[in-house]
Amino acid sequence: MNRSKEKDILVGQKDTFAVRFAFQRDPHGGQGATPEETLSWGAFEIWVDGVNLCEHLELSETIPSVHWYLLPVLEWLTANWDFLLHEERLPVKAGTGVAWLALEQTARPPAAISAEAVERWEERWQNWWSKHSLLACRQGGLFPSVVVRRWQDRIEFSWGDDSLAGCPEHYRFDMRPGFARLPPREVAGVLYEALRDAAQHLYD
């Protein structure tokens, strides 16, 4: 595995779609992390239609990047490649429209269904969420609430402001719910190149 600590990877165009991975030295010195995670410490940004989805406030200061271990993010994008780029249907029929909002509306099953139906509802919801929501790979990091899925002949990115467990009061993603739908070839090309370059840095 590459022992060099710093590398900045930016792929794509910020006004349409871009991904940035910046590998940096682990400020925690590897405490509580595996050696592989420690080497992957850094920052990332996701730009969709000119919006930086990782921009947030810390102590009233605007920070453009999320800082955390990048290995779980890289592994999640790789493991869920087909679902992110090809799976459209939402987990339950009650969910309609933009995926982020649909997930918010269907996070709790209706009160008037059986215990067995509740279990099926929650299982389907959780399974879909784990493959499409960026929060699924945060592993303690403070990530934006972004959902990615196929939508007809486009890739849909949708987002909003979720309350994160363990999030300090001085840290927040100050963005209104929104969405954008982009050409699949553009999204896949940017993600592939960014993942390839990140893997090359870590493992060459």
Side-chain angles (χ1 to χ4, degrees):
M1 181 172 285
N2 195 335
R3 297 295 167 179
S4 64
K5 299 297 183 182
E6 297 189 5
K7 183 177 180 64
D8 202 315
I9 298 166
L10 174 63
V11 182
Q13 301 295 324
K14 292 181 179 181
D15 59 342
T16 52
F17 180 60
V19 174
R20 176 177 177 249
F21 295 127
F23 293 94
Q24 303 162 353
R25 292 185 180 276
D26 184 355
H28 309 297
Q31 292 185 346
T34 66
E36 292 79 12
E37 288 171 339
T38 296
L39 289 172
S40 77
W41 176 272
F44 73 92
E45 298 170 15
I46 302 171
W47 290 80
V48 178
D49 216 14
V51 178
N52 180 4
L53 301 181
C54 293
E55 184 174 285
H56 61 281
L57 296 176
E58 292 186 41
L59 296 174
S60 300
E61 179 183 358
T62 300
I63 307 297
S65 307
V66 169
H67 292 79
W68 194 242
Y69 301 104
L70 300 181
L71 186 59
V73 180
L74 303 176
E75 291 178 332
W76 181 80
L77 287 169
T78 303
N80 294 294
W81 181 271
D82 285 343
F83 300 108
L84 295 170
L85 299 182
H86 300 292
E87 186 174 51
E88 176 175 351
R89 183 177 299 175
L90 292 163
V92 293
K93 291 182 179 180
T96 58
V98 174
W100 183 88
L101 184 57
L103 287 178
E104 288 289 298
Q105 293 170 340
T106 60
R108 293 181 177 84
I113 61 176
S114 67
E116 292 81 4
V118 167
E119 185 176 353
R120 290 194 300 271
W121 180 295
E122 292 177 342
E123 182 179 351
R124 288 196 302 268
W125 190 97
Q126 183 68 29
N127 182 57
W128 201 93
W129 175 88
S130 69
K131 297 171 182 174
H132 294 270
S133 173
L134 184 65
L135 293 179
C137 67
R138 72 185 188 97
Q139 296 188 13
L142 301 177
F143 286 11
S145 182
V146 179
V147 178
V148 187
R149 67 156 177 168
R150 183 77 175 212
W151 184 85
Q152 298 182 12
D153 63 345
R154 297 270 162 165
I155 303 299
E156 178 186 276
F157 289 80
S158 55
W159 56 86
D161 189 13
D162 273 349
S163 297
L164 294 178
C167 186
E169 293 183 0
H170 66 270
Y171 187 112
R172 74 178 189 274
F173 293 94
D174 193 21
M175 59 183 179
R176 297 177 180 176
F179 73 97
R181 290 165 177 159
L182 307 176
R185 186 180 296 274
E186 180 177 348
V187 174
V190 168
L191 286 177
Y192 176 82
E193 187 175 342
L195 289 170
R196 181 199 62 195
D197 291 354
Q200 205 166 19
H201 170 69
L202 287 173
Y203 296 109
D204 273 0

